[in-house]
Amino acid sequence: MTFVHQADPHVTAIRAVMPRTPQGCEECLRLGTPWVHLRLCLTCGHVGCCDSSPGKHASAHARVIGHPIVQSLEPGEDWRWCYVDQNFV
């Protein structure tokens, strides 16, 4: 199920992207640390781990780089989340 919140102004940041590291979280792979779930930045293709993971790299990417929207990279999931507005888009 995809949730769409058209009023979210950050949807303009969504681009057609490919995961930069489809095998896992970019930072966790470099550091050799585990992750729980993966999130795909819909602006640049960064793959980061969720906030249930020790590194919380997806939300850190959104906060530091400023890319607001991620999509779940988990099999069978297609939801998108805006970190700025804290809602599904």
Side-chain angles (χ1 to χ4, degrees):
M1 176 187 303
T2 300
F3 298 89
V4 178
H5 189 274
Q6 296 296 337
D8 190 314
H10 301 103
V11 296
T12 60
I14 295 173
R15 306 282 181 264
V17 297
M18 295 296 293
R20 296 191 318 210
T21 54
Q23 68 275 27
C25 172
E26 191 170 322
E27 290 82 2
C28 289
L29 288 168
R30 187 172 59 248
L31 297 168
T33 55
W35 62 82
V36 178
H37 301 289
L38 298 174
R39 308 293 181 241
L40 173 66
C41 173
L42 293 180
T43 300
C44 72
H46 172 267
V47 176
C49 56
C50 70
D51 283 354
S52 295
S53 302
K56 303 178 182 180
H57 293 118
S59 61
H61 175 80
R63 197 170 45 257
V64 173
I65 304 299
H67 295 164
I69 298 177
V70 293
Q71 180 170 320
S72 174
L73 266 184
E74 295 303 308
E77 296 182 358
D78 64 352
W79 55 264
R80 296 173 175 185
W81 179 258
C82 178
Y83 282 112
V84 176
D85 295 321
Q86 296 290 295
N87 62 287
F88 290 101
V89 293

